């Protein structure tokens, strides 16, 4: 029988397990060999302390396959955070792992920019949005402290092979409509419990046309659908990107035509209008038109969902020569993105518009970062979650595309990007 | 393995912030962690005062949703709860329970079980007997691998044992 992408990856990754027959299908349990174990400044320190408790000074399974990234509280904002980061740096030096310090950016983005992510890879990490790496045809999953601790020693981890939901997206995007609008529309339709434990495969002509940045926007928000991972078959441009970064021969991955799917959804997005997720759930989605005019206090452009160069460029085109009426915070996903934005004049546009550009990282995706809101304040954000209290008690967060966030900043109220 | 105990009942979508409020995340001592189990639910006071060893927790849909923190199952287990039955669990919470050896079962009929009921559960077969109402329910049995991990005392213990063999 044909296999889905996740069935292929986990069949291959569990080959070494002696008790394994080669074919692993949805519902099976596997011990998969890991290609990469990633930790960040949040979650990482706990795992390291637990590692010390359980295994003392024992070396990790392979320091080259362990990466520590700093993306949350960077540079350290208080002593506790500084201490935690030191725990990570000390452990990395001792165990000879890879380390990406406070000057790099958001973890998953750093991993793929540095050639640590390939199709077929099995990757675990401490962030809930690891799964966006499915845009490269790799299986990446957010896990808990004990998982990381065990993985650091044994280099493998147990998984239940998930069922797969296929989402076919056809049609051409209208002007001012972006991949973020598509995934918000899907969230509206299948809700935040639409893919519990499931893998999701996105296909269709609209997906094929998408750049890497757009694909990442789609796959990152599989977390909000409660899914395990979101895959897009890597095409030539993705394979070329991975090849350039890894300097190795890369083999693509695709689902078999007779693979079994739990459900298949079809969307034609030709008539889709700009979408926005209203407080306090990512699936509380409306047309921007419906909430237009709602005054805002702040606009944030960035995060692992919409922090690529291309996202910043979309915002910059709208902001060019204009002024923001509200606090406008722009955060490139990584230093590589920041440099490209600087080189191409985006920083000038943002600064002239009255924006604040901070160092690359997760920024306003979670509390504890500069830019937090006061009670009753309202923000339009390009991030992925708008749960109650996540960015300040009593604050309201609307999730939208970089275009909608930029247009809303200029008007000081929620604004359809077509109208600016 | 048959577990028998009194039920603590909770609703749908109990998130990890209700199970274990974020402000206690810096704690590392297991006893201290246990002191804050379920501190964010409305029934917290009653639970804290009266929960006893071998009690069983029953909840609705999507138990353990929200940010992933292992303190959540660790705190519940630390209060003496041996088993959680829910209609469904959030993915990472489910994993964390197995890895930290807190028994869990998914059961569609979970809502029929009431606060204070005495129930008897065969965790291998998923048979649940409600000794208070005389009803019977069927939970989805846990797979062999997950059961082995839980019975070993958690993921690390399981792997250490395998290594010794
Ligand atoms: S931007 Fe937010 S969701 Fe993305 S990796 Fe950072 S903290 Fe996680």
């Amino acid at each position: 029988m044909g296999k889905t992408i996740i069935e292929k990856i986990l069949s291959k990754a569990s080959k070494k397990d002696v008790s394994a027959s080669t074919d692993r299908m949805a519902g099976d349990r596997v011990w998969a060999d890991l290609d990469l174990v990633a930790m960040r400044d949040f979650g990482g320190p706990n795992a390291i302390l637990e590692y010390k408790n359980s295994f003392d000074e024992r070396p990790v399974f392979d320091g080259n396959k362990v990466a520590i990234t700093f993306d949350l509280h960077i540079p350290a904002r208080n002593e506790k955070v500084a201490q935690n980061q030191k725990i990570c740096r000390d452990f990395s030096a001792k165990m000879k792992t890879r380390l990406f310090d406070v000057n790099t950016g958001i973890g998953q983005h750093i991993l793929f920019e540095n050639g640590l992510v390939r199709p077929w890879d099995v990757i675990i990490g401490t962030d809930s949005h690891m799964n966006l790496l499915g845009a490269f045809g790799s299986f990446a999953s957010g896990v808990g402290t004990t998982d990381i601790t065990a993985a650091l020693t044994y280099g493998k981890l147990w998984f239940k092979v998930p069922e797969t939901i296929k989402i076919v997206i056809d049609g051409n995007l209208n002007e001012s409509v972006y991949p973020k609008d598509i995934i918000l529309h899907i969230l509206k339709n299948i809700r935040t419990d639409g893919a519990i434990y499931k893998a999701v495969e996105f296909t269709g002509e609209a997906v094929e046309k998408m750049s890497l940045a757009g694909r990442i926007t789609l796959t990152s928000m599989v977390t909000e659908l409660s899914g395990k991972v979101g895959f897009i078959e890597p095409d030539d441009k993705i394979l070329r990107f991975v090849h350039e970064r890894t300097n190795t021969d890369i083999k693509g991955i695709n689902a078999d035509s007779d693979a079994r799917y739990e459900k298949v959804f079809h969307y034609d997005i030709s008539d889709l209008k700009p979408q926005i997720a209203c407080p306090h759930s990512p699936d509380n989605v409306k047309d921007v038109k419906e909430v237009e005019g709602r005054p805002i206090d702040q606009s944030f452009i960035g995060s692992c969902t919409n922090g690529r160069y291309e996202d910043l460029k979309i915002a910059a085109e709208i902001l060019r020569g204009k002024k923001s009426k509200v606090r406008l915070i722009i955060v490139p996903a990584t230093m590589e993105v920041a440099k490209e934005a600087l080189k191409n004049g985006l920083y000038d546009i943002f600064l002239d518009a009255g924006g604040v550009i901070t160092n690359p990282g997760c920024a306003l995706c979670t509390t504890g970062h500069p830019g937090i809101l006061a009670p009753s304040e309202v923000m339009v954000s390009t991030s992925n979650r708008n749960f109650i209290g996540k960015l300040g008690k009593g604050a309201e967060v609307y999730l939208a595309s970089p275009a909608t966030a930029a247009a809303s900043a200029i008007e000081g109220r929620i604004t359809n990007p077509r109208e600016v | 393995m048959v577990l028998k105990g009194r039920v603590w009942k909770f609703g749908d979508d109990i998130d990890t912030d209700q199970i274990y409020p974020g402000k206690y995340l810096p704690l590392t001592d297991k006893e201290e962690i246990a002191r804050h189990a379920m501190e964010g639910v409305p029934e917290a006071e009653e639970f804290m005062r009266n929960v006893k060893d071998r009690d069983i927790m029953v909840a609705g849909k999507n138990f353990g949703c929200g940010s992933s923190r292992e303190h959540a199952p660790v705190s519940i287990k630390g209060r003496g709860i041996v088993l959680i039955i829910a209609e469904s669990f959030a993915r990472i919470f489910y994993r964390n329970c197995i890895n930290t050896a807190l028994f869990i079962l998914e059961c569609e009929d979970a809502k029929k079980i009431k606060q204070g009921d005495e129930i008897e559960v065969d965790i291998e077969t998923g048979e649940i007997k409600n000794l208070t109402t005389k009803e019977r329910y069927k939970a989805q049995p846990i797979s062999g691998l997950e059961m082995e991990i839980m019975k070993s005392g958690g993921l690390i213990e399981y792997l250490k044992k395998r290594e010794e063999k």
Side-chain angles (χ1 to χ4, degrees):
Chain A
M1 197 171 70
K3 292 205 200 82
T4 60
I5 294 179
I6 189 71
E7 287 167 344
K8 285 190 176 180
I9 293 178
L10 287 177
S11 291
K12 175 169 174 274
S14 62
K15 271 220 173 102
K16 260 200 241 146
D17 190 359
V18 276
S19 61
S21 60
T22 20
D23 272 1
R24 296 308 196 129
M25 307 305 276
D28 287 342
R29 269 57 177 187
V30 302
W31 284 99
D33 287 323
L34 301 169
D35 298 285
L36 189 63
V37 177
M39 295 187 273
R40 64 203 298 220
D41 50 339
F42 182 79
N46 282 344
I48 290 168
L49 293 177
E50 203 185 312
Y51 186 88
K52 285 186 179 150
N53 278 336
S54 302
F55 300 106
D56 208 13
E57 305 271 291
R58 183 166 160 169
V60 297
F61 78 108
D62 182 348
N64 261 326
K65 292 186 177 172
V66 177
I68 298 175
T69 61
F70 291 76
D71 54 18
L72 221 42
H73 306 297
I74 47 165
R77 70 184 159 88
N78 61 30
E79 283 167 36
K80 178 76 194 154
V81 170
Q83 239 169 37
N84 277 342
Q85 294 185 355
K86 184 166 166 12
I87 291 173
C88 294
R89 288 190 194 97
D90 290 350
F91 182 77
S92 173
K94 190 166 200 177
M95 298 291 174
K96 304 204 168 41
T97 77
R98 296 170 188 268
L99 180 87
F100 299 94
D101 218 307
V102 297
N103 59 338
T104 52
I106 304 178
Q108 317 90 332
H109 289 247
I110 290 300
L111 300 177
F112 72 72
E113 282 180 2
N114 285 279
L116 298 174
V117 176
R118 300 160 301 177
W120 293 91
D121 279 357
V122 179
I123 300 171
I124 59 164
T126 53
D127 186 75
S128 53
H129 287 72
M130 286 306 290
N131 46 266
L132 69 84
L133 298 176
F136 297 89
S138 52
F139 168 45
S141 187
V143 296
T145 318
T146 304
D147 286 307
I148 298 280
T149 309
L152 284 173
T153 316
Y154 298 100
K156 61 180 179 182
L157 200 57
W158 68 277
F159 295 100
K160 176 176 162 191
V161 184
E163 302 272 349
T164 298
I165 293 176
K166 182 154 139 173
I167 300 184
V168 187
I169 310 170
D170 283 323
N172 283 308
L173 278 175
N174 272 315
E175 198 196 330
S176 304
V177 183
Y178 298 90
K180 183 65 160 283
D181 301 298
I182 299 181
I183 191 69
L184 289 176
H185 178 67
I186 293 172
L187 265 154
K188 177 184 188 175
N189 192 246
I190 68 175
R191 319 300 298 203
T192 48
D193 58 0
I196 296 181
Y197 306 144
K198 308 281 189 293
V200 176
E201 285 179 15
F202 296 98
T203 70
E205 55 171 317
V207 180
E208 282 159 28
K209 278 184 216 145
M210 260 177 221
S211 66
L212 176 59
R215 292 169 182 229
I216 286 174
T217 303
L218 283 195
T219 55
S220 70
M221 287 193 79
V222 166
T223 312
E224 280 57 56
L225 295 166
S226 304
K228 210 161 181 167
V229 58
F231 289 113
I232 297 174
E233 282 178 13
D235 60 7
D236 284 347
K237 64 176 174 290
I238 304 293
L239 293 176
R240 217 177 310 122
F241 179 97
V242 178
H243 173 71
E244 277 164 16
R245 304 283 166 147
T246 56
N247 252 323
T248 50
D249 283 338
I250 299 301
K251 192 166 155 260
I253 187 165
N254 62 306
D256 291 328
S257 55
D258 56 344
R260 211 192 62 82
Y261 293 97
E262 196 204 57
K263 274 188 211 135
V264 181
F265 294 96
H266 285 271
Y267 294 93
D268 189 314
I269 41 85
S270 302
D271 293 326
L272 187 68
K273 300 188 175 67
Q275 303 286 293
I276 193 162
C278 303
H280 295 283
S281 176
D283 65 3
N284 185 16
V285 174
K286 303 201 165 97
D287 281 1
V288 171
K289 274 263 168 235
E290 291 174 65
V291 285
E292 217 170 9
R294 172 115 176 72
I296 63 168
D297 301 283
Q298 185 164 295
S299 175
F300 163 56
I301 298 164
S303 89
C304 64
T305 295
N306 277 123
R308 300 296 309 163
Y309 173 75
E310 208 174 316
D311 297 310
L312 302 190
K313 178 109 168 92
I314 291 164
E317 289 308 329
I318 293 171
L319 287 161
R320 188 189 295 274
K322 302 248 169 63
K323 285 261 181 270
S324 173
K325 284 210 178 86
V326 295
R327 307 189 298 268
L328 168 65
I329 301 179
I330 294 139
V331 186
T334 66
M335 203 50 91
E336 183 177 314
V337 171
K339 277 189 188 160
E340 197 176 349
L342 184 64
K343 190 176 83 197
N344 294 328
L346 270 51
Y347 271 49
D348 284 334
I349 297 174
F350 294 143
L351 295 176
D352 290 344
V356 176
I357 310 169
T358 79
N359 57 313
C362 294
L364 274 170
C365 180
T366 182
T367 40
H369 248 265
I372 210 85
L373 300 162
S376 83
E377 283 193 322
V378 180
M379 169 165 78
V380 174
S381 162
T382 62
S383 177
N384 43 50
R385 286 182 166 170
N386 59 349
F387 299 145
I388 200 158
K390 192 169 161 71
L391 288 155
K393 256 202 192 105
E396 294 189 1
V397 178
Y398 289 80
L399 305 175
S401 73
T404 303
S408 302
I410 294 168
E411 299 296 330
R413 49 191 163 76
I414 292 174
T415 301
N416 198 317
R418 272 182 239 197
E419 253 98 88
V420 181
Chain B
M1 197 200 283
V2 176
L3 300 172
K4 196 167 119 183
R6 187 184 49 153
V7 167
W8 286 93
K9 185 69 190 289
F10 298 97
D12 290 336
D13 299 309
I14 302 289
D15 63 40
T16 48
D17 246 315
Q18 287 173 275
I19 300 172
Y20 190 83
K23 61 181 170 200
Y24 303 120
L25 283 176
L27 298 182
T28 46
D29 181 71
K30 288 207 167 147
E31 262 169 51
E32 261 183 79
I33 290 173
R35 237 172 270 148
H36 302 287
M38 306 306 288
E39 202 172 295
V41 297
E43 309 84 348
E45 227 174 274
E46 161 80 7
F47 177 82
M48 303 275 198
R49 213 174 14 214
N50 292 322
V51 67
K52 49 180 202 328
D53 275 3
R54 314 174 90 76
D55 280 355
I56 293 171
M57 213 179 247
V58 179
K61 281 196 291 258
N62 206 14
F63 189 79
C65 54
S67 85
S68 75
R69 52 184 75 149
E70 260 175 38
H71 291 74
V74 169
S75 71
I76 292 173
K77 198 177 162 198
R79 280 316 285 240
I81 298 282
V82 282
L83 166 70
I84 310 176
I85 300 170
E87 271 177 69
S88 65
F89 292 93
R91 189 183 72 78
I92 296 188
F93 184 82
Y94 179 92
R95 255 197 106 83
N96 287 345
C97 286
I98 289 168
N99 288 342
T100 57
L102 171 59
F103 286 102
I104 45 173
L105 282 175
E106 286 186 325
C107 174
E108 277 177 10
D109 286 331
K111 56 168 99 52
K112 294 187 183 156
I113 306 172
K114 299 270 161 350
Q115 170 71 25
D117 284 358
E118 283 279 324
I119 59 172
E120 196 179 278
V121 186
D122 183 324
I123 55 166
E124 260 107 12
T125 61
E127 307 282 351
I128 303 172
K129 274 190 235 163
N130 190 326
L131 304 176
T132 308
T133 64
K134 306 284 176 270
E135 287 175 327
R136 280 163 180 271
Y137 327 102
K138 182 91 177 99
Q140 220 156 306
I142 292 274
S143 87
L145 173 66
E146 278 133 289
M147 189 56 86
E148 271 177 56
I149 295 174
M150 288 194 283
K151 279 188 173 167
S152 304
L155 179 63
I156 308 261
E157 289 72 13
Y158 174 86
L159 285 166
K160 279 188 173 171
K161 270 182 212 160
R162 275 218 331 189
E163 195 177 33
E164 283 159 17
K165 276 186 198 154

